[in-house]
Each structure stands twice: as C-alpha cells, then as structure tokens.
Amino acid sequence: MNIKFLLFGLAALSLTACKTPFNVAKVTTEKNISLAQDLPEDPASKKVIEPYRSELEGKMNTKISSTLVDLNKQGDNSNLGNLLADYTYEGADEWAKKNNLSGGVDAAVINIGGIRSTIGAGDILTKSIYEVMPFENEVIIVKMKGSDLKGLFDYYLKTQKNNPISHLYIETENGMTVKELINGKKVKPTKMYYIATSDYLALGGDNMAFFGKGELIPTGIKLRDLFLEKFKANPQIVAPTDIRINFKNKKNQTHE
C-alpha cells in the first residue's frame, strides 16, 4: 500500500511540474486612429510616386481604336461578346499554326461573366480593355474528340446561357439541340477538334465540366494582352452582327 501511495504521489508531482502557468496579459485601451480620405498626403511620398502615376495615367488614356456603335454584352449574340470570342479564336489560331498545329483551331468559347464592362461609341482607350478584362486569364487550346463535344452543345441546351462563341453555331428548340455546327459543318464523332478558351473555363469554370475530357494545350497568351493587340490592329472596330446562338422559344432572355 505504501508503494502505491508513493507512485501516486510521484505521478501527481510530475503532472504539476509540466503544467505551464496560466497568466492573464494586461489589456490596455489604445486610441483608434481614423483613416479618412481627407488625411493630408505625405509630400515626400507624393514626389516619388507622381512620375509613375503620370506615366501610368498617360498609357491608360491612350487611344488605341474607335467604334461607331456601343459594344455591349447583352443578349444571346452580343456584339462585344462575339467580337472578343473572334479575337480569342484568331489569337489561338495564329499561335497554333506557329506551334506545330498546322490545322489551327476550330472554334472558341469564352464566358460572358468574364467580360466585366462595356465600351461606349467613340474612342477606345487602353483603360477600356483593362476594364473589360481585369483578369490575368490565359488562352488555352483544348484538344477534344468530336464525340466529347456533345457535352459542349448539351451545356448550352441546359443552361440557355449567352456565353460567346466563335466558329460555332448552336440552335435549340423544344428541349433539344437541332443544329450543332463547327465552321458550318456537322461534328464528326471520331475527328479531333481544337477549341480555344480561357484557363478558367478549361479547368471547369462556369460548370463547363465537358472540357475535362480533352487535352489542355497552354499558349502563354494572356487574354487581355491579346485583346489589346487586336484593338490596336483595328483602328475602326466593326462589330459582329451574325447569329451564333439561337435558343428558339426561349422564355427568359439573358441580359448580362
């Protein structure tokens, strides 16, 4: 019995020795400093920043193109959406033909939600493109079998969403797709197709899981850089007016 009490005492002593004392820190009330817009700007900092600010503002306000009509993103065939889809197609096609894909790309798909602003009629400035595309998304080419492209057409049938496309034609009616065309031709199930899109969509963004069946080919091209280049190359923008998405009997038109 004495041994038991001795062991119990030693165990209790060891637990007490390992226990870290709990101390309550002293809490003091400090004065809050309000950060308001009317706080004076530091003259030294302003002097250092000003040249860079002036240079940046100058670049952002540089005219790169012009348009006679408003470029908007409303409706199933918005002129700005279709224009940017065409630019995505052209940029990817040029890259593909320079990088051992002699046939180029077959079509392009972008998402309307990635277009964050519109462009009014008149001069188009550099900052307009940054407002339209503020993200650092990259152009990706997805290599897919024609049979797997059924997922793309089913996506549009199910969502009835106005995500812009280029070199594609999709027509739906009464819960079915009645036309599924790439470059005006029916899709061949065994043929390999190359679809240009953004890395966001290629990785399944906006619920475009069908791209997961394809092989992703990165181009290193930033969408915004591509759009800037295309607008600069076209001093007078001619907005597309063709019909690419035709949701017949659609109850609710998309106005994003």
Side-chain angles (χ1 to χ4, degrees):
M1 291 293 291
N2 291 335
I3 295 175
K4 288 184 178 180
F5 282 116
L6 179 60
L7 291 174
F8 179 78
L10 289 172
L13 183 62
S14 65
L15 288 173
T16 305
C18 294
K19 192 173 181 181
T20 303
F22 179 77
N23 297 318
V24 178
K26 184 180 180 181
V27 179
T28 58
T29 304
E30 300 291 347
K31 181 181 178 182
N32 291 327
I33 300 175
S34 176
L35 297 178
Q37 290 183 349
D38 57 355
L39 284 175
E41 188 172 5
D42 179 59
S45 298
K46 183 178 180 181
K47 186 176 181 180
V48 172
I49 294 172
E50 193 59 40
Y52 299 101
R53 178 189 293 167
S54 299
E55 181 181 0
L56 180 60
E57 289 179 352
K59 288 181 178 179
M60 288 293 110
N61 290 312
T62 300
K63 176 183 174 181
I64 57 173
S65 187
S66 62
T67 173
L68 296 175
V69 300
D70 291 338
L71 300 177
N72 60 69
K73 49 183 270 186
Q74 294 183 335
D76 292 331
N77 294 277
S78 65
N79 57 7
L80 180 57
N82 284 356
L83 180 69
L84 297 183
D86 285 347
Y87 285 168
T88 302
Y89 170 88
E90 292 170 11
D93 190 57
E94 292 166 8
W95 183 93
K97 290 174 179 176
K98 293 177 181 177
N99 289 273
N100 302 318
L101 294 177
S102 58
V105 299
D106 298 287
V109 177
I110 61 175
N111 65 313
I112 198 70
I115 303 173
R116 307 304 289 183
S117 183
T118 58
I119 300 175
D123 292 345
I124 300 174
L125 310 179
T126 297
K127 69 178 181 181
S128 304
I129 311 307
Y130 275 80
E131 291 167 354
V132 165
M133 179 55 61
F135 310 113
E136 294 293 324
N137 290 118
E138 180 184 345
V139 178
I140 299 290
I141 298 172
V142 186
K143 180 182 178 182
M144 303 183 71
K145 284 183 63 175
S147 56
D148 291 333
L149 278 174
K150 181 63 179 173
L152 183 153
F153 296 109
D154 287 345
Y155 170 88
Y156 279 87
L157 173 64
K158 180 181 179 180
T159 65
Q160 302 278 285
K161 197 168 183 179
N162 62 335
N163 284 322
I165 54 179
S166 180
H167 290 71
L168 281 162
Y169 179 78
I170 303 170
E171 185 176 314
T172 69
E173 187 174 16
N174 298 324
M176 297 184 296
T177 52
V178 294
K179 282 189 179 180
E180 304 173 351
L181 306 177
I182 293 183
N183 287 312
K185 299 178 181 179
K186 291 183 178 180
V187 177
K188 296 180 180 179
T190 58
K191 181 180 176 180
M192 299 305 300
Y193 291 88
Y194 295 84
I195 311 298
T197 188
S198 69
D199 53 355
Y200 170 70
L201 297 182
L203 294 173
D206 210 0
N207 298 314
M208 293 195 182
F210 55 85
F211 278 131
K213 293 186 176 181
E215 174 189 345
L216 306 189
I217 305 172
T219 66
I221 302 170
K222 298 295 184 183
L223 274 170
R224 184 175 56 228
D225 293 342
L226 173 61
F227 295 159
L228 280 167
E229 177 186 318
K230 291 295 180 181
F231 275 97
K232 289 177 182 178
N234 293 276
Q236 184 72 58
I237 297 300
V238 179
T241 57
D242 57 313
I243 302 299
R244 306 175 185 188
I245 301 174
N246 188 2
F247 298 131
K248 290 187 173 180
N249 305 317
K250 184 178 179 181
K251 293 181 181 180
N252 299 313
Q253 291 293 323
T254 306
H255 297 291
E256 290 205 31

